[in-house]
Amino acid sequence: MSSSKKPKIVVTRTLPDSVEKRLSDLFDTQLNSNDSPYSQSELIRAVQGADVLVPTLTDKIDAELINGAGKNLKLIANFGAGTDHIDREAAHAKGILITNTPDVLTQDTADFVLALILAVPRRLVEADMLVRSGKFTGWTPTGILGQRVRGKKLGIIGMGRIGQAVARRAHAFGLGVHYHNRGPLSAPIENELGARYWDDLDEMLAAVDIVSINCPYTPQTHHLIDAKRLSNMQTHGILINTSRGEIIDESALAKALVRGDIAGAGLDVYEHEPKVHPDLLTLQNVILAPHIASATLESRIEMGEKVMINIRALFDGHRCPDRVLPPR
Ligand code: DGY
């Protein structure tokens, strides 16, 4: 590529205006103005001749696409933190870099986890529906009784950036913080968070009242929460998932909720997203959100900034700061 020629960037979904404008100023950018996800064949066509692909979690960046992209493709600059929708081996085999947008969505995601941790035991959505239905006839001592949050034990699965941000908030709400992770945190961080490490996930699930999934989706975490682990949880237990739907066996979860094996769930992600298990749609003890844990305008703009910084770094001859592949 001659130095005067701008890199060709293909962006698969509509991004905030300011991000799209800056991307178009900096690069030869192809946007997707109607925001409908590309089909696999449209995506393959779209990346022909592209230097950089900017996908999101709704795109399946598989080997066929990567191999069909043409020899110019140097970087997949994902708009999002999770990169489980990208075939890393195929990218690696072609020498294509992958970057993501970590950090900038951590605090917003943790806020949303806390929103679910409060809203599920306090039955907030059910209460809202009662008022809207016109059936609210005045205060009663026994109306919409929930579970007290303060003093409960929260078990966090995955104590990375988001898990730790959840722990800080949970601590402030008077929850006991427990966690399962590939390894324990350093002693100073554990002390600051007042967190207890459990090497054995099954033991932690049996001991805590609320579980929050904050680990990435990998082949190892597929159906990490299955029927057996759900049955390990306490019957007043609540499960929160803002990570990836595939970490839970969704049909086992629906069964556990119907049977009352656990008391409730707060879900932002689904195993077959955007499809939701039909039983979950009928249950009152579940709050269902449309994958919005990180959805603030601020985070989306900062995610866009990260994408641009990574692309600029590459074409200016520097290492991309948010490299996922090759690993740092
Ligand atoms: C991510 O970044 O992976 C979130 O799930 C979407 O913002």
Side-chain angles (χ1 to χ4, degrees):
M1 190 175 55
S2 85
S3 56
S4 59
K5 202 166 158 237
K6 289 179 174 179
K8 169 118 193 319
I9 315 293
V10 171
V11 182
T12 66
R13 300 298 297 269
T14 301
L15 304 181
D17 287 350
S18 62
V19 175
E20 291 199 338
K21 182 168 182 321
R22 188 70 185 136
L23 272 167
S24 303
D25 287 346
L26 290 172
F27 311 112
D28 171 11
T29 304
Q30 180 181 317
L31 301 169
N32 177 0
S33 53
N34 70 16
D35 198 30
S36 52
Y38 286 126
S39 70
Q40 217 52 18
S41 53
E42 285 169 335
L43 204 50
I44 291 178
R45 266 200 308 281
V47 291
Q48 291 306 313
D51 295 296
V52 179
L53 174 64
V54 181
T56 73
L57 62 95
T58 57
D59 303 303
K60 195 164 159 234
I61 312 300
D62 58 11
E64 193 196 351
L65 182 132
I66 289 170
N67 294 328
K71 59 180 183 335
N72 289 352
L73 190 68
K74 298 162 193 62
L75 170 65
I76 299 172
N78 189 54
F79 185 88
T83 53
D84 47 280
H85 54 292
I86 304 173
D87 186 327
R88 285 190 191 205
E89 269 177 36
H92 183 67
K94 282 198 78 180
I96 294 169
L97 304 176
I98 302 174
T99 58
N100 68 344
T101 62
D103 297 322
V104 291
L105 35 72
T106 300
Q107 304 304 329
D108 294 330
T109 304
D111 286 344
F112 197 79
V113 174
L114 255 289
L116 292 174
I117 288 177
L118 299 174
V120 176
R122 296 305 305 274
R123 302 170 63 184
L124 191 60
V125 170
E126 229 182 302
D128 175 273
M129 289 194 298
L130 177 84
V131 175
R132 286 174 201 274
S133 73
K135 291 186 187 138
F136 173 50
T137 53
W139 186 83
T140 78
T142 54
I144 309 259
L145 295 182
Q147 291 189 46
R148 177 178 291 164
V149 172
R150 190 173 185 81
K152 292 283 187 319
K153 294 189 186 112
L154 170 68
I156 299 173
I157 302 178
M159 204 55 149
R161 296 179 182 91
I162 296 173
Q164 291 181 37
V166 170
R168 280 198 181 85
R169 286 160 175 74
H171 193 52
F173 274 88
L175 285 150
V177 177
H178 300 249
Y179 72 101
H180 171 77
N181 199 35
R182 273 172 303 187
L185 299 171
S186 67
I189 298 183
E190 259 195 4
N191 290 341
E192 183 210 329
L193 300 174
R196 171 173 171 194
Y197 175 65
W198 294 75
D199 184 39
D200 188 317
L201 175 60
D202 294 298
E203 284 178 12
M204 183 181 86
L205 290 175
V208 300
D209 308 291
I210 304 171
V211 174
S212 174
I213 299 178
N214 296 109
C215 59
Y217 177 57
T218 64
Q220 291 73 39
T221 60
H222 181 79
H223 283 192
L224 182 71
I225 302 297
D226 57 8
K228 188 169 167 297
R229 290 211 157 112
L230 286 163
S231 70
N232 257 3
M233 286 177 63
Q234 313 209 36
T235 49
H236 67 269
I238 287 168
L239 181 62
I240 308 292
N241 188 11
T242 52
S243 176
R244 286 292 183 266
E246 296 93 327
I247 296 173
I248 299 179
D249 177 343
E250 199 167 288
S251 119
L253 173 63
K255 284 198 187 101
L257 286 159
V258 169
R259 279 198 305 256
D261 295 347
I262 66 169
L267 305 176
D268 186 45
V269 288
Y270 304 91
E271 187 172 353
H272 305 289
E273 209 166 300
K275 288 199 194 97
V276 179
H277 192 288
D279 289 353
L280 294 176
L281 296 170
T282 66
L283 293 170
Q284 290 220 317
N285 52 348
V286 183
I287 293 184
L288 303 170
H291 204 147
I292 55 163
S294 68
T296 66
L297 180 58
E298 291 90 336
S299 89
R300 295 292 184 252
I301 290 174
E302 289 169 14
M303 287 161 75
E305 286 282 316
K306 284 227 167 223
V307 165
M308 290 184 274
I309 289 167
N310 282 304
I311 300 173
R312 276 306 286 258
L314 176 70
F315 288 99
D316 287 349
H318 302 292
R319 306 185 90 178
C320 301
D322 303 304
R323 228 174 42 228
V324 174
L325 187 76
R328 287 199 262 181

